[in-house]
Amino acid sequence: MARTAILSDYWRSSASYRVRIALNLLDIPTTLKPVNLLSGDHRSDGYLAQNPQGLLPTLEIDGKVLTQSLAIIEYLHATTDGSSLLPGDIDGQYRVRQLSYAIAMEIHPVCNLSVAQHVLDLTGGGNDTRAEWMRHFIQKGLATFEELLQTSEGPFCFGAHPSMADCCLIPQLYNADRWGADISGFRRIGEAADAAQEMKAFQDAHPDAVGAPPG
């Protein structure tokens, strides 16, 4: 029986976007099940029964319900023949995890919309404050990521093939563009982004290709 997946997904969710890329790279047929964050679908009883954290994404595959984007990507890598989302050697695996975590565990949490909203609630700031918060932390985090990439051969984040690190980088660059962060001076990031964006797997996972949910 062909392997298929159902992804509970929000089009602009960075974590969902990462998993969409990974599923595309591994050629796993996937049905997207939109969960509208703006209307609170992620807080419904039905969704919380699947994912008690109320976060996105949630992946149904192989008779399992999986949560947490990087854990999902590592599961997909481990269970898919021929996957190169992680290298075969321990040093390469460390390196890809280092790069992935630098985005998913350092930049992403502080730029989560719920965190930014709490800052606005505490300070009384408005949309300009939110945008400045996002730009500050995205630019700072990607500047550090650029430094980390200096010792990686390209064109991707780690060598000649896209890895979990590229699955993390491209959604973060989408957010950088969305919030007006200046990343024009980041040469290696630009090279990795150019290489990734030439691939259909990345193009098809882009939020504009997925589209906003109705309502």
Side-chain angles (χ1 to χ4, degrees):
M1 181 179 295
R3 193 182 192 202
T4 61
I6 300 173
L7 183 68
S8 294
D9 169 89
Y10 182 69
W11 69 309
R12 278 183 164 170
S13 159
S14 295
S16 298
Y17 191 174
R18 292 172 200 147
V19 175
R20 292 198 302 265
I21 293 169
L23 289 162
N24 289 347
L25 287 170
L26 298 177
D27 292 321
I28 297 175
T30 303
T31 298
L32 298 181
K33 185 165 69 174
V35 176
N36 194 334
L37 295 177
L38 299 184
S39 59
D41 290 355
H42 58 301
R43 295 190 294 270
S44 69
D45 290 342
Y47 188 72
L48 291 174
Q50 276 198 313
N51 187 333
Q53 288 184 291
L55 301 175
L56 290 169
T58 298
L59 183 70
E60 300 170 61
I61 191 170
D62 301 336
K64 301 177 175 70
V65 178
L66 309 178
T67 66
Q68 287 294 334
S69 63
L70 296 194
I72 290 171
I73 291 172
E74 294 225 27
Y75 173 87
L76 294 173
H77 167 75
T79 58
T80 305
D81 290 342
S83 171
S84 58
L85 293 177
L86 285 168
D89 64 293
I90 191 64
D91 289 343
Q93 290 170 14
Y94 157 76
R95 180 66 168 146
V96 167
R97 289 187 176 108
Q98 178 201 36
L99 294 169
S100 302
Y101 296 174
I103 290 175
M105 298 183 186
E106 300 296 335
I107 305 174
H108 182 198
V110 75
C111 291
N112 186 285
L113 287 178
S114 65
V115 172
Q117 184 58 52
H118 188 57
V119 171
L120 300 190
D121 293 342
L122 291 174
T123 64
N127 287 334
D128 289 346
T129 301
R130 188 200 316 270
E132 179 55 34
W133 175 276
M134 296 295 194
R135 284 193 296 269
H136 172 79
F137 286 106
I138 291 172
Q139 287 175 196
K140 180 180 178 182
L142 287 178
T144 302
F145 191 81
E146 173 75 8
E147 289 299 312
L148 290 174
L149 283 185
Q150 296 305 310
T151 56
S152 285
E153 294 184 4
F156 294 96
C157 288
F158 185 79
H161 305 283
S163 69
M164 182 168 69
D166 300 281
C167 294
C168 292
L169 175 61
I170 296 305
Q172 190 58 67
L173 295 182
Y174 173 81
N175 285 338
D177 182 65
R178 180 183 175 191
W179 295 105
D182 181 10
I183 59 170
S184 58
F186 299 155
R187 178 188 61 82
R188 271 295 286 121
I189 286 176
E191 290 175 355
D194 288 345
Q197 290 164 355
E198 288 293 317
M199 298 183 67
K200 191 173 187 298
F202 287 86
Q203 295 167 6
D204 288 351
H206 192 281
D208 289 348
V210 173

